[in-house]
Amino acid sequence: EANRRVGLLLNHIAPPSQEPECIREFTSAVGKSNVVIVSALRTPIGKSRRGSFKDTHFTDLLATVLKATIDQTGIDVKKVEDLQVGNVLAPGGGAVQARMAMFLAGYPYDVPVATLNRQCSSGLQAFANIAGAINLGAIDIGIAAGVESMSLHSMVGAVGDLNDKIFKNELASACLMSMGQTSENVAAKYGVSREVQDRFAASSQAKALRAQSEGMFDDEIVPVTTKIKAKDGSEKVITVTKDDGPRPGTTFEKLQKLRPAFKKDGTSTAGNSSQTSDGAAAVLACSRGAAHREGLPIIGSFKSFAVKGVPPEIMGVGPAYAIPEAVKKAGLTLEDIDIFEINEAFASQATWCVKELGIPESKVNPLGGAIALGHPLGCTGARMIATLLHYMRKKNLQRMSKSDSSTKRVDFALRDTGVVSMCIGTGMGAAAVFEAEY
């Protein structure tokens, strides 16, 4: 409460864009995070193998968001001290091609790059790595990105040759279980019904469609101009401006008619599972001091990160363990969180995690999730950061516009707090806490 009151006072003295150095140092001392986000962008998300990016090389998607990040912020690209890229399926971890993509985006060779793979959390892990380096003092400015083309790369081929010994180890062999089977395991173990899953999926589609129609994704999406091939081999140039995934006319009743996708008598279907997808996202983070020095508008700050292990065969429960840990590290409670962006790998695991944590449904994925938007594995974590921060910004600006002049400064100081979380194949969950700033 004391920190909140100090924040109110400081906002009356000077808005953040005009803060003197002494005020910036004092606000840091009373709890403002040192790691801030100044840009969070993504491409539209395409349906894999049949959508807008089925013929687009993943380096084109990555290069698009990397270039847009520099163009939007106007920062001297040579001041970017590190670039971390999450990717799951590309050969060699995508390391060589990520370097090529940054050159395609116009980055100089001075900027280093690394790729990483923590499966579905790779984009979020890339951000955690950059944030950690900033907090350590190793860098001042960095970009966390994620990219995936599930059209061009196979999930089967990404595992590689296996050691025969793993089949004698229960946990090791469970890592080979299909994600669909783990969804069925969660549903069976915790009694998540088909009806619950289909209602959740229908809601995700409805929220995403409404968000699209209201332009809620416009600020985070970078249009992509690319070529697409027809069945006869002809090509045409298209400019993609919105996600492929949201399906008009999706209803609970229609979802109920779909057959189980992974088990004969199962409950997980193509309609209540995430879509395989193509896309890229990038988040520019820096120290608070660097943001002020460079004149970059702060849209959010990083509070905490946690990753937890869970049994591989029920990997979808990961968020239920990672979220409380991340929230605790941020010095908050679950009740303090305004928005939860929880990746909808499967409706079974997403609904169970929400119920287990006692999160009000009104706080979960207000713009829809991966069931409607898609889940490009390495991209998802970074995409969710962009969606969360832009939504919280819009939400607060709408709240401010409804306030009278005497209360606008108070609303300005009461910033929303949000969580990004996802389950991770082989049995983990990751979560991070962010605060919106304006």
Side-chain angles (χ1 to χ4, degrees):
E1 177 61 22
N3 289 349
R4 187 185 72 82
R5 290 180 178 274
V6 170
L8 291 174
L9 175 62
L10 293 175
N11 280 327
H12 280 289
I13 295 172
S17 61
Q18 301 173 18
E19 286 175 355
E21 188 64 33
C22 62
I23 292 178
R24 290 201 297 273
E25 291 177 359
F26 186 62
T27 56
S28 180
V30 297
K32 278 190 177 180
S33 170
N34 180 52
V35 180
V36 299
I37 298 97
V38 298
S39 174
L41 300 172
R42 67 176 180 94
T43 67
I45 300 172
K47 293 181 180 179
S48 70
R49 294 181 292 278
R50 55 196 176 92
S52 299
F53 300 135
K54 68 182 183 67
D55 304 309
T56 301
H57 200 276
F58 76 99
T59 53
D60 284 330
L61 298 175
L62 180 57
T64 296
V65 288
L66 292 180
K67 182 178 186 302
T69 298
I70 301 303
D71 291 345
Q72 182 195 67
T73 59
I75 191 172
D76 180 354
V77 68
K78 289 187 176 181
K79 293 183 178 180
V80 176
E81 297 168 279
D82 197 11
L83 168 61
Q84 298 259 334
V85 182
N87 181 261
V88 178
L89 302 178
V96 173
Q97 299 219 47
R99 182 71 167 165
M100 295 173 177
M102 57 165 274
F103 290 145
L104 291 176
Y107 286 45
Y109 62 79
D110 311 61
V111 179
V113 64
T115 59
L116 61 103
N117 180 0
R118 193 175 282 204
Q119 301 193 71
C120 301
S121 71
S122 296
L124 181 59
Q125 185 65 56
F127 180 87
N129 289 1
I130 290 294
I134 293 170
N135 272 329
L136 185 64
I139 66 172
D140 245 1
I141 301 172
I143 295 176
V147 64
E148 206 71 69
S149 172
M150 300 182 79
S151 290
L152 302 182
H153 302 134
S154 167
M155 292 183 69
V156 176
V159 177
D161 296 333
L162 299 175
N163 183 342
D164 290 341
K165 294 178 182 178
I166 70 166
F167 298 104
K168 299 178 182 179
N169 183 294
E170 185 177 355
L171 288 173
S173 59
C175 292
L176 294 175
M177 188 174 293
S178 74
M179 296 300 95
Q181 183 59 55
T182 69
S183 173
E184 293 290 0
N185 290 347
V186 170
K189 182 178 178 68
Y190 299 107
V192 184
S193 69
R194 169 71 183 268
E195 178 180 349
V196 166
Q197 295 176 59
D198 284 347
R199 289 195 184 282
F200 182 83
S203 175
S204 181
Q205 288 283 351
K207 288 186 288 188
L209 286 164
R210 183 170 63 251
Q212 269 192 341
S213 67
E214 294 176 355
M216 295 297 290
F217 299 122
D218 292 355
D219 290 345
E220 67 193 70
I221 287 181
V222 178
V224 178
T225 298
T226 187
K227 292 181 180 179
I228 191 167
K229 295 179 181 177
K231 290 182 179 180
D232 62 5
S234 62
E235 292 183 339
K236 69 174 181 178
V237 176
I238 61 171
T239 297
V240 187
T241 60
K242 65 179 184 178
D243 302 317
D244 289 350
R247 293 188 283 263
T250 301
T251 64
F252 167 73
E253 290 76 18
K254 289 181 179 179
L255 290 171
Q256 285 272 284
K257 296 177 181 178
L258 297 178
R259 290 181 294 181
F262 309 106
K263 183 181 177 183
K264 186 176 180 180
D265 58 347
T267 58
S268 294
T269 71
N272 62 33
S273 305
S274 60
Q275 302 177 38
T276 58
S277 311
D278 311 322
V283 181
L284 177 58
C286 55
S287 66
R288 191 173 293 274
H292 287 289
R293 185 174 65 247
E294 299 296 328
L296 298 170
I298 296 172
I299 63 173
S301 58
F302 170 66
K303 307 293 285 185
S304 66
F305 173 75
V307 60
K308 301 288 286 184
V310 298
E313 69 274 12
I314 52 170
M315 65 92 202
V317 304
Y321 294 86
I323 290 173
E325 186 72 13
V327 170
K328 180 181 177 180
K329 287 182 177 181
L332 301 169
T333 67
L334 290 174
E335 290 73 24
D336 294 324
I337 305 301
D338 298 292
I339 301 297
F340 292 84
E341 281 286 331
I342 300 176
N343 190 43
E344 299 169 356
F346 300 93
S348 61
Q349 54 82 211
T351 55
W352 182 81
C353 290
V354 170
K355 182 179 179 180
E356 177 69 9
L357 295 177
I359 301 171
E361 291 184 8
S362 61
K363 290 187 174 185
V364 179
N365 300 351
L367 307 183
I371 288 173
L373 300 174
H375 177 24
L377 306 177
C379 162
T380 287
R383 191 282 296 172
M384 293 172 73
I385 295 172
T387 299
L388 174 70
L389 289 177
H390 285 285
Y391 175 75
M392 290 197 298
R393 179 178 177 82
K394 285 185 173 72
K395 180 182 174 186
N396 200 65
L397 291 175
Q398 289 171 356
R399 189 163 58 225
M400 287 174 61
S401 69
K402 294 177 181 178
S403 303
D404 59 43
S405 58
S406 65
T407 62
K408 281 185 179 179
R409 299 301 283 269
V410 174
D411 285 340
F412 188 85
L414 299 178
R415 295 162 177 153
D416 292 319
T417 303
V419 163
V420 166
S421 184
M422 66 285 294
C423 58
I424 305 169
T426 70
M428 290 174 278
V433 180
F434 297 89
E435 183 180 69
E437 298 194 19
Y438 317 101

